[in-house]
């Protein structure tokens, strides 16, 4: 079956039972399509559902999500004609896209949270990413992404306060 059909079937199954196995199918089909936004969505949900996984596995999943967010953000920004370094443009696009497609918005905020040259922009993007995850009922993802207090002091405080 085509990746689109596989994703549709897995999404239908997820509505009945939100299972990591179905999200793995979505992730693999997204990878087959080279659709980084679908992959990021699947990784978010896998990280949310990783309740009993060992800490190193959770950390590896969070790292993979950060990398996937970055690749998705670059694709979204490129499609929109934005250049690397135009943090204001990226933040504006993240806010606009985040309403219609929260995963795209989160990918853009994640990119800025890690790669902006301005500390204030990085901190604002961390907060926007954490709030978007919480609004999507992905609180554990926020905690797991921002687990390193040395890299993410502001978002870590917010994430812990809202879990």
């Amino acid at each position: 079956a085509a990746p689109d059909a596989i994703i549709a079937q897995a999404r239908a199954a997820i509505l009945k039972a939100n299972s990591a196995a179905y999200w793995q199918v979505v992730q693999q089909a997204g990878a087959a399509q080279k659709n980084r936004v679908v992959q990021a969505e699947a990784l978010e949900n896998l990280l949310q559902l990783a309740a009993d996984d060992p800490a190193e596995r959770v950390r590896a999943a969070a790292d993979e999500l950060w990398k996937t967010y970055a690749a998705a953000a670059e694709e979204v920004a490129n499609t929109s004609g934005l250049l690397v370094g135009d943090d204001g443009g990226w933040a504006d696009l993240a806010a606009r896209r985040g309403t219609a497609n929260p995963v795209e918005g989160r990918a853009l905020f994640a990119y800025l949270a890690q790669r902006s040259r301005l500390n204030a922009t990085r901190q604002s993007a961390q907060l926007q990413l954490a709030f978007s995850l919480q609004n999507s009922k992905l609180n554990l993802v926020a905690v797991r992404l921002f687990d390193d207090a040395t890299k993410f002091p502001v978002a870590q405080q917010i994430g812990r306060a809202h879990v």
Side-chain angles (χ1 to χ4, degrees):
D4 281 339
I6 292 168
I7 291 171
Q9 288 175 344
R11 287 188 189 280
I14 287 165
L15 292 175
K16 295 175 186 167
N18 192 16
S19 160
Y22 295 128
W23 283 113
Q24 287 173 333
V25 169
V26 171
Q27 181 196 7
Q28 290 169 358
Q33 291 180 316
K34 297 191 183 338
N35 185 332
R36 305 281 189 241
V37 174
V38 168
Q39 286 178 273
E41 178 190 12
L43 287 168
E44 287 174 341
N45 283 280
L46 286 167
L47 194 54
Q48 178 72 22
L49 294 169
D52 298 327
D53 286 6
E56 60 275 0
R57 204 158 147 197
V58 169
R59 181 77 251 142
D63 289 345
E64 185 177 359
L65 179 55
W66 279 116
K67 289 176 190 164
T68 304
Y69 273 154
E74 289 172 350
E75 289 174 5
V76 171
N78 189 37
T79 301
S80 300
L82 291 177
L83 299 175
V84 170
D86 179 10
D87 290 355
W90 284 59
D92 182 57
L93 181 62
R96 286 185 286 122
R97 286 287 176 93
T99 305
N101 188 329
V103 179
E104 285 185 5
R106 287 194 289 271
L108 290 159
F109 283 129
Y111 184 94
L112 289 171
Q114 289 197 308
R115 299 187 183 187
S116 175
R117 292 184 183 154
L118 299 174
N119 192 39
T121 302
R122 281 193 312 276
Q123 289 183 350
S124 175
Q126 289 171 29
L127 293 174
Q128 294 295 330
L129 175 57
F131 286 137
S132 178
L133 287 164
Q134 290 168 354
N135 288 338
S136 294
K137 308 273 188 278
L138 295 168
N139 295 359
L140 277 177
V141 177
V143 170
R144 290 169 172 167
L145 281 177
F146 295 114
D147 199 32
D148 185 344
T150 59
K151 285 166 64 175
F152 305 110
V154 175
Q156 187 189 49
Q157 292 168 2
I158 298 296
R160 296 255 186 250
H162 288 89
V163 172

